[in-house]
């Protein structure tokens, strides 16, 4: 059998963590773009679009990410769409992220006082102009801290991609555990690497929030 | 062009309804126990973070940050596979509950603390003038309005924890996603099994939100 | 890919059928392999010595050598796809892999959904526990907890013979099953004799030993249902490797024993 030194364990976990970071970035950026489109659809006067977006958000917030991953992986293939573990994980996490981000952002837009919409309308701006020049700039300020905070949820969410066989940090931990029989060391190291990734982001989100509150006082 | 036929057969999943029902029971049971435990832990730690001595503040702070910044599945694996090496062994069910309580506790601490800090000081001062003890003030004056304020956030967090319990199937706890997985490993109907599981989870999360929105005002912070 | 007809009916047995036209390119798995010169082969990474990772995280083992051998004979390069016991068959069903070489045993349930070649390596499933645990046969398992990998032949056989009072603990993959037993989470484990041997060597403190045989269940290569051209080609390759002693050498190299009589 192969022998793993502590350095071998750490080195392999860090190498696998690159995939965790990559998957997180893809899901966060993809989810941000889709989430923004959903937000706009939800702000339009069309009742149908609003309902559809609410349904989408409800669906992804009301079912486990684990099941969404299984469905993206094995479900899509049944309909002839071939996906690797990487694409399936990226797709499922993007959809999941977009649902949460659009909900967060909708809350931020809703917190812009109604009077702002009315004022913008009274200036005879179109819907697009109202959003672009009046509402979104104000909502953006409020939206940044929770958005950065949600990145932590995305990073942690990628750990579930391990169950469809995508070799990221958690999966690598399982494989190394089986080769070394040192689960305590391996999972403690896995947890520490996640912590090292997430904690600075959490701190940043909190600092941003404090600045925002200070500015509003 | 060759035509392939994909038949989706939900009947083969629903035949195993007993297994699914057992899975639902476990999911709800795990959620109920961990919601109660997690809330209690959250209240305790929130108190500690505001009123506790410096060392207790540091300990609870470290706990909250550690568990909010690592994935639930890793916490679960560490408890189930890692801790026995340190002489601490738990059954899959006990490990699942412990992981869920600790995880919810970390989030609940921060949510409840935010609620308490948003409570006007004037109320506490008024209570102090009534010669109530610190404990009495905390539980009767400070906590109820704080809980009322943050109840929707807590309800969302409890639902996230319920959905997260799907991961407990990975360590052989027989909750809903375990049932779906077991069924599909026997009849090879993966897609149908997960669709059925997803729909049940959706119904559970809608139902649980309604239930908690009803329960909270009646029993926790009487409106 | 287009969906040309959909029907939906809901009843006790709700059946939704999608008649999808397969891609005009790649009618059969064999055509695909020959055209792309790539064979997508599902292999285990949680199953020493059949498939496991070294300190460079690259898969190695009997099944990986077998995959390289077969891809070579097919004139293709090999694309190794790591799978777990529970998801091997969905990989074939959903055409994510052309063939599965992953300690796959044959049973009637599986034969309904995929096809098998002739056998290529031996596999014995047994129950293992500490020396202190008295276990003469399946009946002695009563009241004990046993770890097993969900959806494996081990699971099927154990479920078949175990008395009702056995607490069967099913895990997602072999990693988790072995880890659970090593961590002392269960009193016994049902798995392959070779996997158990590796586990026992690495963990002498367990004092674990072989208790009884569940099944002699040789490994077969799995292909998608109806992939007859590929299956015929693979049988040809496997039988030739058997005749020239390659299979025997593989078995000796990784398992330290002869292949014995492999069913054809």
């Amino acid at each position: 059998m192969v022998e793993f030194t502590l350095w071998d364990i750490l080195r392999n976990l860090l190498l696998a963590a690159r995939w965790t970071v990559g998957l997180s970035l893809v899901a966060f950026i993809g989810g941000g773009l889709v989430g923004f489109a959903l937000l706009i659809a939800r702000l339009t006067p069309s009742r149908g679009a609003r309902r559809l977006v609410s349904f989408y958000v409800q669906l992804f917030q009301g079912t486990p990410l684990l099941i969404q991953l299984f469905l993206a992986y094995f479900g899509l293939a049944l309909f002839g769409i071939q996906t690797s573990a990487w694409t399936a994980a990226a797709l499922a996490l993007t959809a999941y992220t977009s649902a949460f981000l659009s909900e967060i952002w909708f809350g931020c837009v809703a917190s812009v006082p109604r009077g702002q919409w009315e004022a913008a309308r009274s200036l005879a701006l179109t819907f697009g102009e109202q959003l672009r020049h009046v509402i979104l700039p104000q909502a953006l300020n409020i939206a940044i801290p929770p958005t950065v905070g949600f990145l932590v949820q995305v990073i942690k969410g990628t750990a579930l991609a391990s169950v469809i066989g995508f070799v990221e940090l958690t999966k690598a931990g399982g494989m190394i555990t089986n080769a070394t029989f040192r689960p305590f060391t391996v999972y403690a190291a896995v947890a520490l690497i996640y912590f090292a990734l997430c904690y600075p982001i959490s701190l940043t989100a909190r600092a941003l929030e404090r600045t925002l509150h200070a500015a509003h006082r | 062009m060759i035509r392939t036929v994909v038949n989706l057969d939900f009947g083969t999943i629903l035949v195993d309804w007993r297994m699914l029902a057992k899975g639902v029971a476990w999911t709800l049971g795990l959620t109920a126990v961990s919601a109660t435990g997690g809330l209690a832990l959250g209240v305790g730690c929130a108190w500690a973070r505001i009123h506790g001595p410096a060392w207790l503040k540091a300990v609870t702070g470290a706990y909250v940050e550690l568990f909010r910044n690592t994935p639930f599945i890793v916490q679960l694996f560490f408890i189930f596979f890692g801790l026995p090496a340190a002489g601490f062994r738990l059954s899959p069910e006990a490990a699942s509950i412990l992981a869920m309580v600790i995880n919810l506790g970390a989030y609940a601490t921060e949510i409840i603390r935010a609620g308490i800090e948003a409570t006007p000081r004037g109320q506490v001062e008024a209570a102090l003038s009534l010669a109530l003890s610190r404990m009495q003030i905390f539980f009767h004056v400070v906590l109820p309005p704080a809980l009322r304020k943050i109840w929707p956030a807590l309800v969302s967090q409890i639902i996230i924890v319920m959905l997260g319990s799907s991961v407990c199937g990975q360590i052989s706890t027989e909750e809903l996603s375990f049932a779906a997985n077991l069924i599909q490993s026997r009849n090879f109907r993966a897609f149908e099994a997960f669709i059925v599981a997803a729909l049940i989870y959706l119904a559970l999360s809608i139902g649980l939100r309604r239930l908690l929105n009803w329960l909270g005002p009646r029993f926790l912070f009487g409106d | 890919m287009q969906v040309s007809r959909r029907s939906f009916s809901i009843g006790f047995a709700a059946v939704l059928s999608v008649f999808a036209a397969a891609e005009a390119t790649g009618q059969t798995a064999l055509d695909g392999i020959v055209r792309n010169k790539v064979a997508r082969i599902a292999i285990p990474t949680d199953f020493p010595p059949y498939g496991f990772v070294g300190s460079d995280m690259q898969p190695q083992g009997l099944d990986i050598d077998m995959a390289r051998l077969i891809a070579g004979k097919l004139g293709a390069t090999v694309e190794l796809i790591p799978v777990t016991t529970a998801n091997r068959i969905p990989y074939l069903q959903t055409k994510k892999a052309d063939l599965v070489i992953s300690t796959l045993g044959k049973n009637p349930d599986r034969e309904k959904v995929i096809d098998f070649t002739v056998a290529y390596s031996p596999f014995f499933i047994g129950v293992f526990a500490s020396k202190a645990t008295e276990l003469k046969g399946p009946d002695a398992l009563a009241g004990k907890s046993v770890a097993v990998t969900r959806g494996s032949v081990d699971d099927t056989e154990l479920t078949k013979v175990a008395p009702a009072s056995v607490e069967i603990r099913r895990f997602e993959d072999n990693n988790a099953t072995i880890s659970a037993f090593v961590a002392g989470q269960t009193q016994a484990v049902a798995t392959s004799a070779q996997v158990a041997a590796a586990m026992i060597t690495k963990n002498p403190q367990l004092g674990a030993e072989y208790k009884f045989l569940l099944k002699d269940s040789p490994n077969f290569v799995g292909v998608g249902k109806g992939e007859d051209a590929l299956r015929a080609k693979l049988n040809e390759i496997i039988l030739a490797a058997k005749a020239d002693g390659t299979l025997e050498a593989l078995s000796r190299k990784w398992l330290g024993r002869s292949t014995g009589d492999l069913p054809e």
Side-chain angles (χ1 to χ4, degrees):
Chain A
M1 286 293 291
V2 219
E3 290 303 327
F4 278 69
T5 61
L6 190 62
W7 166 239
D8 280 331
I9 294 177
L10 262 182
R11 186 172 52 93
N12 283 313
L13 287 179
L14 287 171
L15 287 175
R18 290 180 307 176
W19 290 101
T20 294
V21 172
L23 186 58
S24 305
L25 287 178
V26 168
F28 190 62
I29 293 167
L33 293 175
V34 178
F36 187 72
L38 290 172
L39 173 71
I40 300 301
R42 201 167 171 183
L43 290 175
T44 57
S46 154
R47 179 176 287 193
R50 280 208 304 267
R51 283 219 179 124
L52 212 60
V53 176
S54 306
F55 176 72
Y56 177 93
V57 170
Q58 171 92 279
L59 199 63
F60 283 96
Q61 290 194 336
T63 56
L65 178 58
L66 184 79
I67 303 282
Q68 294 165 21
L69 281 160
F70 279 133
L71 281 175
Y73 198 45
F74 293 117
L76 288 178
L78 279 180
F79 295 92
I81 304 160
Q82 277 308 334
T83 44
S84 63
W86 158 254
T87 23
L91 271 177
L93 279 160
T94 297
Y96 170 84
T97 308
S98 69
F100 277 84
L101 283 182
S102 85
E103 184 75 3
I104 291 173
W105 293 342
F106 185 72
C108 297
V109 171
S111 71
V112 174
R114 302 272 341 146
Q116 296 288 326
W117 287 93
E118 282 150 21
R121 235 190 326 264
S122 72
L123 294 174
L125 299 178
T126 64
F127 174 72
E129 287 166 340
Q130 290 171 30
L131 271 183
R132 200 151 66 89
H133 298 299
V134 182
I135 305 301
L136 291 186
Q138 301 183 53
L140 189 67
N141 267 330
I142 322 171
I144 288 175
T147 305
V148 173
F150 190 73
L151 178 55
V152 172
Q153 305 302 324
V154 177
I155 296 175
K156 294 193 295 174
T158 62
L160 293 183
S162 60
V163 297
I164 58 170
F166 181 66
V167 185
E168 39 63 73
L169 185 48
T170 304
K171 178 77 180 173
M175 288 159 76
I176 296 171
T177 298
N178 201 43
T180 60
F181 295 103
R182 289 163 70 187
F184 187 89
T185 316
V186 174
Y187 285 119
V190 168
L192 283 181
I193 296 175
Y194 276 111
F195 186 77
L197 284 174
C198 295
Y199 188 52
I201 301 173
S202 294
L203 285 182
T204 311
R206 221 168 302 154
L208 286 169
E209 196 159 351
R210 255 196 307 268
T211 327
L212 182 71
H213 274 279
H216 275 241
R217 249 168 222 160
Chain B
M1 295 266 279
I2 288 182
R3 296 172 82 81
T4 53
V5 180
V6 184
N7 269 306
L8 295 189
D9 185 352
F10 287 100
T12 54
I13 306 300
L14 298 176
V15 165
D16 287 320
W17 67 270
R18 275 170 210 279
M19 238 185 261
L20 288 170
K22 189 182 166 200
V24 169
W26 265 108
T27 295
L28 288 178
L30 289 174
T31 309
V33 174
S34 57
T36 315
L39 268 187
L41 186 61
V43 169
C45 291
W47 180 86
R49 288 206 74 176
I50 297 173
H51 300 294
W55 66 269
L56 193 58
K57 279 185 188 164
V59 170
T60 46
Y63 152 65
V64 167
E65 293 305 340
L66 199 60
F67 282 84
R68 278 167 27 119
N69 288 293
T70 48
F72 177 66
I73 189 172
V74 176
Q75 296 163 10
L76 185 71
F77 282 2
F78 183 78
I79 290 174
F80 187 70
F81 295 122
L83 285 188
F88 186 70
R89 185 169 302 137
L90 289 172
S91 73
E93 292 77 19
S96 303
I97 288 174
L98 181 65
M100 287 169 75
V101 166
I102 295 181
N103 187 279
L104 178 60
Y107 283 92
T109 301
E110 281 308 277
I111 296 174
I112 294 169
R113 189 175 72 129
I116 293 172
E117 283 176 350
T119 305
R121 295 285 311 164
Q123 287 190 13
V124 179
E125 278 149 22
L128 274 172
S129 69
L130 290 175
L132 293 173
S133 74
R134 286 190 76 92
M135 272 294 175
Q136 281 173 317
I137 295 174
F138 185 76
F139 280 102
H140 296 292
V141 181
V142 177
L143 201 55
L147 279 180
R148 185 180 308 129
K149 202 167 290 171
I150 46 86
W151 191 242
L154 267 182
V155 170
S156 295
Q157 198 58 45
I158 292 172
I159 288 170
I160 289 173
V161 166
M162 180 195 75
L163 297 175
S165 75
S166 60
V167 173
C168 299
Q170 301 288 315
I171 60 162
S172 88
T173 299
E174 304 192 350
E175 44 72 54
L176 180 53
S177 77
F178 179 91
N181 254 318
L182 188 62
I183 292 171
Q184 70 94 5
S185 72
R186 293 197 173 153
N187 65 13
F188 310 107
R189 291 275 175 195
F191 185 65
E192 293 92 323
F194 294 130
I195 285 281
V196 169
L199 291 177
I200 297 176
Y201 274 114
L202 190 60
L204 288 182
S205 55
I206 294 171
L208 185 61
R209 187 178 292 276
R210 293 224 169 129
L211 177 72
L212 290 173
N213 283 341
W214 181 84
L215 276 179
R218 271 162 197 79
F219 298 98
L220 278 174
F221 43 86
D223 260 353
Chain C
M1 206 65 217
Q2 68 183 147
V3 176
S4 54
R5 207 197 90 187
R6 237 178 235 214
S7 75
F8 201 91
S9 69
I10 301 167
F12 177 65
V15 175
L16 172 107
S17 299
V18 177
F19 293 79
E23 289 158 280
T25 53
Q27 280 99 341
T28 73
L30 185 58
D31 290 345
I33 295 171
V34 170
R35 188 173 344 92
N36 303 325
K37 299 216 180 318
V38 174
R40 296 171 304 152
I41 304 182
I43 46 100
T45 52
D46 59 350
F47 232 95
Y50 293 94
F52 58 103
V53 292
S55 53
D56 56 355
M57 294 303 273
Q58 291 304 308
Q60 51 179 297
L62 189 147
D63 284 350
I64 285 83
D65 279 1
M66 193 66 199
R68 295 192 198 285
L69 172 83
I70 284 182
K73 299 277 180 196
L74 287 170
T77 50
V78 66
E79 183 187 331
L80 298 174
I81 307 179
V83 291
T84 65
T85 306
N87 69 21
R88 289 172 297 183
I89 291 178
Y91 264 81
L92 272 187
Q93 288 176 304
T94 57
K95 299 189 196 303
K96 284 183 185 300
D98 300 313
L99 46 144
V100 169
I101 304 182
S102 186
T103 62
L104 188 64
K106 187 152 84 171
N107 68 25
D109 278 345
R110 289 180 178 169
E111 280 180 290
K112 281 184 217 150
V113 289
I114 62 170
D115 284 338
F116 291 90
T117 64
V118 296
Y120 68 92
S121 73
F123 193 88
F124 298 94
I125 302 162
V127 171
F128 301 80
S130 141
K131 290 193 183 77
T133 312
E134 186 87 5
L135 270 182
K136 288 247 167 1
D139 292 338
L141 284 172
K144 299 201 166 58
S145 56
V146 190
V148 68
T149 305
R150 174 170 67 218
S152 61
V153 175
D154 324 3
D155 185 3
T156 323
E157 293 303 317
L158 180 68
T159 310
K160 218 186 284 173
V161 299
S165 66
V166 179
E167 193 190 327
I168 301 180
R169 285 292 175 186
R170 297 183 178 84
F171 293 90
E172 179 78 10
D173 60 19
N174 195 60
N175 277 339
T177 306
I178 299 295
S179 296
F181 174 72
V182 172
Q185 296 285 10
T186 63
Q187 289 158 288
V189 58
T191 188
S192 136
Q194 306 298 335
V195 170
M199 171 190 83
I200 291 166
T201 325
K202 284 286 233 170
N203 297 276
Q205 84 284 0
L206 290 176
E209 63 176 14
Y210 167 79
K211 294 295 183 183
F212 60 88
L213 184 74
L214 270 180
K215 195 173 195 245
D216 170 6
S217 165
N219 297 317
F220 298 78
V221 177
V223 297
K225 196 81 196 148
E227 298 286 357
D228 292 333
L230 178 62
R231 194 162 58 100
K233 184 78 191 156
L234 292 176
N235 279 339
E236 203 177 288
I237 296 170
I238 295 169
L239 289 174
K242 193 175 176 180
D244 68 13
T246 314
L247 291 188
E248 180 67 22
L250 273 182
S251 182
R252 294 239 173 246
K253 173 181 171 194
W254 291 106
L255 310 179
R257 63 184 303 284
S258 162
T259 58
D261 266 342
L262 290 177
E264 289 179 4

